[in-house]
Amino acid sequence: MARGKEIHIDTFIPFMRDVTRCERSLHELNLMWRLIESSAKMNCAEEAHSMLPMMAATREGFQRLEKDLVHSMVSESVTQVMSEIATCAHHVIDTVVRNLYERTADVGFLATDLTLCSYVAGLNPEAGIIERLREYQRKYSVYDEIMLIDAVGTVLAQIDETSPVDGTRDPVLAQTLDSSGYIETFRSTSLRPHKEQALLYTHRMEHPKTGQPCGMLCLSFDFLGEMAGIFAGSSAAEGRSVALLLNDQDCVIASSDGHWIAPGTKVPTNQDGAPLLFTHSGRTYLVQTVVASGYQGYPGPAGWKGQVMIPIEQAFGTKIMRCVDSLPPEVAQGLLAHAKSFCPPLYDIIKAADSIRRVVWNGQVMTAGQRGGSSRLKSVLEQIGETGARTNQVFTQSIRDLYDTVLSAGLRDSQSLTQLLVDLLDRNLYERANDCRWWALSPVLRELITQADAQGHPTQEIQEHATRVLEHINSLYTVYIRLMVYDRHGRILCASHPQMADGSSVLEQSIDSATVQAVMQLNDSQAYHVSPWSSQQAGAEGATYVYHAPIRTLDASGSTAGGIAIVFNAIPELQAMLQSSLVGKPKTRALYVNRQGTVLASTDSYAPPGSQVQLPDPQLLQVEKGHSKAVIAVHHNQYCILGASVSRGYREFKTSDGYDDEVLAISIETFGQLENDNNALSQSSHAIHSSNGINGIEMATFYVGKQLFALRAETVLEALPASAINPVSAGRLPYCLGTLARRAQGQVTGYVWVFDLAELFTGQRSRMTEQSQVVVLEHGARKLGVLVSGLHGVHHFTHDNIIAAPSMAASDEMLVNELIKANQGALLVQCIHPQGLLNALQRSAASQASSSGMHATPDSF
């Protein structure tokens, strides 16, 4: 679902328990701030006069944030679900269309088979046709029936003995005889009397001598079996949703759960992907409908669509995966720094929350030192402290929940994408294994091998005939670089496209002895051999798979005397699969790799074909067969979501046919550049439990880099956003970043110089981020601002918790003169000494002025 489509928030909130809890917490906090403000106005208006603007600002900010945060949480949750079910719907229709494209090629090629055409024309009535058709069906097991029908509708041959048909008057016969191409039919038909609907591919057959139409070939696709396999590999298999295949009338023609929504049912559709609720049979659903995008010019059956429907009560009730809690803090925080690019609503919420945190922090600073005032004011101050702390907790958790929703959706999508990619690959390579075995049965190629075996070499006539056959096949099946026939010694006898890219002839090459030996040992017409992925193979012009099948002689022995090798144009074909699946995903790259990490095909410039993929999590290459995994990690200095799925096989291919070659699909979605100097500020890891009582000291805490520092709250005037710094020249003042205007009631009341604390402490200038703040402090007659990495809180500590910092310098020379033993000593917080800070800045200014021959006074700032 594209962002920006209007979502009716109130419609979805009742079904989102996490959002409901967050909304309730925000509403309670909003009410608390209102009560605090009202209490202060009524009970101690004079004493709290300076704090009332802060309270009003907090209340107003809360009103905006409460609405925006809830809206974003609902919007992202709906987006996640709509994206998930859209991916599943794409999986359904795209897999179907790619599979059926192969059927259109099959029927056109098989309809030209000379043996079959001669039989239908009545030229060769004793040709063992039934066994030939069964041989074809054993290899192309996607067909549950193959029929030969003459021009008047008489069924001459069929292989499904459970559904005998003598003849037909189905209109598809006349339609097929009048057409030069294939005809695709999906409906009830007398050709398949025991099926409610059948998916048929028909093509006319021509008389070998006259070229006139003499009959029809009919292939019946195992539609229900295919759909069951597709549904089992989709996310609908989890049972939370139902996946459907629809026709042009929006009626169900296949369902992942027929007891839930049965075939024949008319359902509501949602091709626009609008975030709306649809009611069907008394139940309310989110729906995604996807039309076929076509493949290699084949559009798929007219009007067919993939659809997924998920009941609204199931859509948000289960958290698919909780990911933020398991991330390293530096990765979680670094990735969050790129929220503006991958989730603008999350970015806006973080900024709004930071603004309110600053207001609350300022309010707590403002009240510091006033705890000894009137009891009514003291009560207000205590409420501000407690509510401020609670506000930070709610903001942190709410943002974390929203963040987790966004990342979980990315993890889920990566798994769905890679699963689709391996499913497409399995189905594609299944066809390659079928092709080599079927073409090995060609009478022309068998005659070629028989002559070569008996005479040592075939006649020129049969060699030329066989070459024409291979060229014809290759012209129809362009996924192959070339097809080759070789004898028992590996000598290539003929080939399509014999000229290699370097100008040499493939006929000068030989099949390697290990491959020849493996092929010669195959005694079953169902057996085949696949050369391991390599570029060092006869006929190959780059790394690929070469599929081999044995060719048997035509004599009585029928012994294996040679083989056929079909060289798959692997890299371009695999690249095309990857690229077509990444449409609409500009930040995602994808790869096919083997278990050793060798890249077979890739859209990733860091991992070109032939290289070894370097993954941040080696476990991705060890995912179990048929399973998926996704992780969040840093990859090539980018924050990424990486997904991996392993092929599980298709029908008998790689499952029961003896061939095993596990290929993985890897997806890499990038979110932004690694923040090498990321401070990874973590409120949770630096949580402070303030001491009770009024006889202690209040400290304003903040971050400088990853370290937590404090200033006595009575010395702090306020915090302001660092983005407001005016980077004017500060003359000879070291560590100075510029000036910052201070305002009251919208009017500028003065300016302060702003200094970089991190540069003063470490010598390295700070990197400005969205969290950067300027803490304005006052010591004596001096006011200045210091740049900090982020605000933390305002806390109350007893005198026992504060100890002198060890030092070899005089106290006024120390930048840090005290340490706070927070959380019973588990956390040490460094306290900055204002006079030591001023002295350090003045010494630096004087030193710089002296080295330049100028005079600096303590009044320079």
Side-chain angles (χ1 to χ4, degrees), residues 216 288 375 445 661 695:
M216 176 179 78
Q288 279 279 26
S375 60
L445 302 186
D661 179 62
N695 296 319

Side-chain angles (χ1 to χ4, degrees), residues 456-531:
H457 57 82
T459 64
Q460 183 176 352
E461 180 183 4
I462 190 63
Q463 194 169 13
E464 290 176 351
H465 189 186
T467 299
R468 288 196 297 272
V469 169
L470 296 181
E471 291 284 5
H472 173 64
I473 295 173
N474 210 163
S475 69
L476 297 174
Y477 292 80
T478 56
V479 297
Y480 299 110
I481 296 174
R482 58 181 50 86
L483 286 63
M484 306 174 292
V485 175
Y486 54 92
D487 64 15
R488 65 171 66 251
H489 306 292
R491 180 167 56 105
I492 297 175
L493 304 176
C494 63
S496 62
H497 306 167
Q499 185 171 356
M500 302 283 287
D502 61 4
S504 65
S505 173
V506 74
L507 299 176
E508 301 169 358
Q509 299 182 8
S510 296
I511 306 298
D512 65 276
S513 58
T515 298
V516 172
Q517 182 178 3
V519 173
M520 292 303 106
Q521 292 175 352
L522 301 176
N523 297 317
D524 184 349
S525 65
Q526 285 296 99
Y528 64 96
H529 172 77
V530 185
S531 298

Side-chain angles (χ1 to χ4, degrees), residues 14-31:
F15 304 100
M16 300 178 177
R17 290 193 293 271
D18 289 346
V19 176
T20 302
R21 284 194 294 268
C22 173
E23 184 184 37
R24 185 167 55 247
S25 296
L26 288 171
H27 187 69
E28 290 172 355
L29 282 171
N30 195 346
L31 181 60

Side-chain angles (χ1 to χ4, degrees), residues 414-472:
S414 69
Q415 291 185 341
S416 297
L417 171 62
T418 54
Q419 186 60 62
L420 171 62
L421 287 171
V422 291
D423 282 354
L424 293 176
L425 179 66
D426 282 342
R427 283 166 167 77
N428 189 297
L429 299 186
Y430 161 84
E431 303 292 341
R432 314 291 69 91
N434 296 342
D435 290 347
C436 72
R437 291 179 293 170
W438 175 246
W439 297 334
L441 300 180
S442 165
V444 175
L445 302 186
R446 292 184 68 187
E447 176 62 26
L448 177 74
I449 286 297
T450 301
Q451 288 189 14
D453 193 52
Q455 304 166 189
H457 57 82
T459 64
Q460 183 176 352
E461 180 183 4
I462 190 63
Q463 194 169 13
E464 290 176 351
H465 189 186
T467 299
R468 288 196 297 272
V469 169
L470 296 181
E471 291 284 5
H472 173 64

Side-chain angles (χ1 to χ4, degrees), residues 150-287:
D150 68 15
V152 296
T154 302
V155 176
L156 304 176
Q158 69 175 119
I159 62 172
D160 185 0
E161 298 176 349
T162 67
S163 183
V165 179
D166 294 329
T168 184
R169 294 183 179 179
D170 193 299
V172 72
L173 176 61
Q175 185 182 5
T176 301
L177 292 174
D178 289 341
S179 174
S180 60
Y182 72 89
I183 299 296
E184 186 177 58
T185 306
F186 183 72
R187 54 175 168 77
S188 61
T189 170
S190 60
L191 292 169
R192 300 296 282 149
H194 300 302
K195 288 180 176 287
E196 291 185 12
Q197 297 182 105
L199 180 55
L200 305 180
Y201 289 85
T202 58
H203 202 289
R204 77 184 184 190
M205 305 180 77
E206 298 176 352
H207 196 289
K209 295 183 178 179
T210 67
Q212 295 300 307
C214 61
M216 176 179 78
L217 168 69
C218 176
L219 301 180
S220 174
F221 182 62
D222 179 18
F223 177 70
L224 294 181
E226 174 65 15
M227 293 310 304
I230 292 174
F231 291 142
S234 72
S235 60
E238 298 172 357
R240 295 172 56 240
S241 60
V242 59
L244 308 168
L245 186 66
L246 309 181
N247 64 14
D248 58 347
Q249 301 298 313
D250 297 337
C251 289
V252 177
I253 54 179
S255 171
S256 64
D257 190 336
H259 297 291
W260 187 346
I261 298 181
T265 306
K266 187 176 179 65
V267 293
T269 60
N270 183 24
Q271 289 184 219
D272 293 335
L276 303 174
L277 295 180
F278 295 83
T279 301
H280 173 70
S281 297
R283 202 170 185 185
T284 305
Y285 294 88
L286 283 169
V287 178

Side-chain angles (χ1 to χ4, degrees), residues 418 421 578 582 589-593 599-604 606-608 611 613 615 635 663-668:
T418 54
L421 287 171
L578 296 174
L582 295 179
R589 308 184 299 277
L591 311 85
Y592 283 123
V593 305
V599 178
L600 312 187
S602 170
T603 65
D604 184 1
Y606 289 108
S611 65
V613 66
L615 299 176
H635 180 61
V663 175
L664 297 85
I666 306 289
S667 69
I668 305 169

Side-chain angles (χ1 to χ4, degrees), residues 558-600:
S559 60
T560 299
I564 183 171
I566 59 177
V567 184
F568 184 40
N569 194 16
I571 293 179
E573 292 298 322
L574 269 56
Q575 293 277 143
M577 288 184 216
L578 296 174
Q579 290 168 347
S580 65
S581 299
L582 295 179
V583 174
K585 299 179 180 294
K587 295 184 179 180
T588 301
R589 308 184 299 277
L591 311 85
Y592 283 123
V593 305
N594 62 21
R595 281 293 192 189
Q596 292 71 47
T598 301
V599 178
L600 312 187

